[in-house]
Amino acid sequence: SDRAHLHNNVGDVVHVHSDKATWGDLWEDLRFHPQEKVTYYLSGQTAEDLSQTVIQPYDRLLLLVGDNTDIEQKYETVPDKQEVIQVEAMTEGC
């Protein structure tokens, strides 16, 4: 996508090309259209449908499909700002 995609195909770091890019832009790039319940945990808070939410620098998002437990524990596996900065330093292929 020209708005949002995975950075250098790193599966857990989003690269944004527009300050108006939404999570929905990323879903389209990934062809992500789940048929089950989706739970979003954005920057430490549960959230509803994020498709129209603008991606903010260093947002941390955990996206779970289906029924899930231990959401906060799983959220701890999401890269933090320092990890994202390291990936950003990699040569970009887009």
Side-chain angles (χ1 to χ4, degrees):
S1 166
D2 58 349
R3 295 187 82 171
H5 58 90
L6 297 180
H7 186 75
N8 283 339
N9 295 310
V10 173
D12 56 8
V13 176
V14 176
H15 183 89
V16 176
H17 287 272
S18 166
D19 60 359
K20 294 181 177 147
T22 65
W23 290 105
D25 293 325
L26 179 64
W27 305 164
E28 286 302 315
D29 183 69
L30 297 175
R31 295 177 182 87
F32 177 71
H33 305 287
Q35 303 301 310
E36 297 179 63
K37 173 187 167 193
V38 177
T39 301
Y40 303 98
Y41 203 69
L42 179 63
S43 298
Q45 302 293 318
T46 56
E48 297 297 318
D49 177 25
L50 296 176
S51 60
Q52 299 302 312
T53 301
V54 174
I55 301 170
Q56 299 299 316
Y58 306 108
D59 269 349
R60 293 180 72 200
L61 175 67
L62 174 65
L63 184 147
L64 300 165
V65 177
D67 292 323
N68 288 278
T69 60
D70 303 319
I71 294 172
E72 289 182 20
Q73 183 179 12
K74 291 173 182 172
Y75 179 72
E76 292 302 317
T77 67
V78 176
D80 62 18
K81 181 178 179 177
Q82 203 58 27
E83 292 172 281
V84 172
I85 289 171
Q86 290 175 348
V87 171
E88 288 175 331
M90 295 169 47
T91 304
E92 188 178 331
C94 60

